[in-house]
Amino acid sequence: MSLYPSLEDMKVDQLATAQYRYESQFAPLAVSPAAVSPPTAPPSYPLNPTEVPVLVGKRGGSLYPALSDFMGLDLSPQALAELAPEYALAIPQSTAVAVPAAPSGPLAGMVAPLSGQSLGLQRAQVTHGIRQLTLCKDASGKVGIRVQDVSKGIFVCLVMKGSPAALAGLRFGDQILQINGTTVAGFTKDQVHALFRKSAVNGISVVVRDRPFERTVTLHKDSVGHIGFQFKNGKIIGLVKDSSAARNGLLTEHHLLEVNGQNVVGIKDKDITAIIEEGGSIITVTVIPSFIYDHMINKMATSLIKGSMDHSIPDV
């Protein structure tokens, strides 16, 4: 789905797309198809000037005259080799270019950048862009999210596993901007929950900004499989000197939200460690400042976070 810098840009794009579709319905009726001649493609010009095709009304088939056209002299390579061998040596000859063999050993399959092909990095992308989703309600009449108001904004603080919200791709920290065309800036969480309850079963339009408080950091494991930070209850409490975490700008007083794109909120520390150990040599973590995290999960039961949070691995 396309991302736009602002909500207004997204609306303008929707209007322009609708206008284009409307005009395309009537454009074929205005002009008879037989009266419209197909566009003529411009002639292709090769890089070699002597291979330019003959143009209509022009003499010759090349852009520049050949050497043999000057003063009637035969300056072909064969003639020069016979009559003036000293000049024939200066004529460049076509030579085969040796292509180096594919690297073997530890450099085999090496790609630059090293983390560019990491599947975890692709799953963990935080764009801060705007997207529009369409939700529905489940059998119990719920969409499967809980929200919290932070600084006059509404943020997703719980996405229930298997819910319509999880299937639509909502994630912890997404900022909800509109619900069915109603801008929710300044609303309380109770008002937003009420909007969802009053919505129809199907076709609930939700506009969100992708996780504005979050960022991702890609880390590389060292020779013993460490990436260089300690955490407790999901909170980063220490960095190892000269480690990948320290070199790549990971900070303490931040909470782990995702490991390689998989939500780890509410998961025990030992289970998060296992996910990191099994995640390959390149690990991408998604973090959020701890004071914002604490505010977002405030007054939410720990059992609800641990038992109901969606921890599925996102598709890419």
Side-chain angles (χ1 to χ4, degrees):
M1 181 173 292
S2 301
L3 300 176
Y4 305 96
S6 69
L7 180 61
E8 288 76 11
D9 290 331
M10 187 184 73
K11 295 297 185 183
V12 170
D13 179 82
Q14 291 174 341
L15 290 174
T17 302
Q19 181 70 18
Y20 173 78
R21 291 176 178 174
Y22 177 80
E23 293 177 353
S24 63
Q25 295 176 358
F26 299 95
L29 302 179
V31 181
S32 173
V36 180
S37 59
T40 303
S44 58
Y45 293 93
L47 296 179
N48 187 352
T50 62
E51 297 178 359
V52 175
V54 178
L55 300 180
V56 177
K58 298 294 182 180
R59 178 179 178 275
S62 61
L63 183 62
Y64 303 109
L67 290 177
S68 59
D69 292 340
F70 285 99
M71 298 184 295
L73 296 178
D74 185 5
L75 300 178
S76 63
Q78 294 79 9
L80 286 178
E82 181 180 353
L83 302 176
E86 65 275 13
Y87 294 103
L89 296 176
I91 298 177
Q93 303 296 326
S94 60
T95 57
V97 179
V99 179
S104 59
L107 295 181
M110 185 66 70
V111 191
L114 294 177
S115 58
Q117 302 299 320
S118 168
L119 185 60
L121 177 61
Q122 299 174 33
R123 290 170 173 163
Q125 286 290 339
V126 177
T127 66
H128 295 170
I130 291 177
R131 67 188 190 276
Q132 186 172 12
L133 308 174
T134 301
L135 303 181
C136 63
K137 294 181 179 179
D138 58 16
S140 60
K142 298 179 180 179
V143 296
I145 64 171
R146 289 201 178 185
V147 301
Q148 181 64 274
D149 51 291
V150 181
S151 301
K152 301 299 182 181
I154 296 296
F155 294 84
V156 176
C157 58
L158 175 68
V159 180
M160 303 187 72
K161 55 187 176 183
S163 65
L167 297 176
L170 276 173
R171 299 170 99 162
F172 185 100
D174 278 338
Q175 182 182 2
I176 297 179
L177 305 180
Q178 286 185 351
I179 301 174
N180 291 331
T182 300
T183 302
V184 297
F187 280 35
T188 65
K189 62 179 181 180
D190 295 331
Q191 290 174 320
V192 174
H193 290 153
L195 273 179
F196 280 117
R197 286 194 298 269
K198 296 176 182 178
S199 300
V201 175
N202 297 314
I204 305 173
S205 175
V206 181
V207 179
V208 301
R209 180 173 291 279
D210 186 56
R211 299 169 287 174
F213 287 134
E214 302 173 23
R215 68 186 182 102
T216 61
V217 182
T218 300
L219 311 173
H220 293 253
K221 292 180 180 178
D222 58 20
S223 57
V224 293
H226 295 163
I227 51 181
F229 68 91
Q230 296 90 30
F231 60 94
K232 183 178 181 181
N233 296 326
K235 182 179 180 179
I236 301 173
I237 59 175
L239 302 175
V240 178
K241 184 179 180 181
D242 294 329
S243 65
S244 183
R247 292 194 302 268
N248 285 282
L250 197 65
L251 301 174
T252 60
E253 300 298 322
H254 280 64
H255 259 77
L256 289 172
L257 298 182
E258 296 176 354
V259 175
N260 284 344
Q262 180 181 358
N263 186 298
V264 295
V265 176
I267 295 181
K268 295 180 180 179
D269 288 346
K270 64 177 182 179
D271 295 329
I272 298 177
T273 302
I275 294 175
I276 294 175
E277 291 176 349
E278 298 170 0
S281 60
I282 301 173
I283 300 295
T284 299
V285 296
T286 306
V287 296
I288 189 173
S290 293
F291 72 93
I292 297 177
Y293 173 84
D294 293 337
H295 180 73
M296 289 178 65
I297 66 168
N298 187 29
K299 298 181 180 179
M300 279 180 48
T302 305
S303 59
L304 180 63
I305 298 176
K306 292 182 178 181
S308 300
M309 183 71 74
D310 175 47
H311 295 132
S312 61
I313 299 175
D315 297 327
V316 291

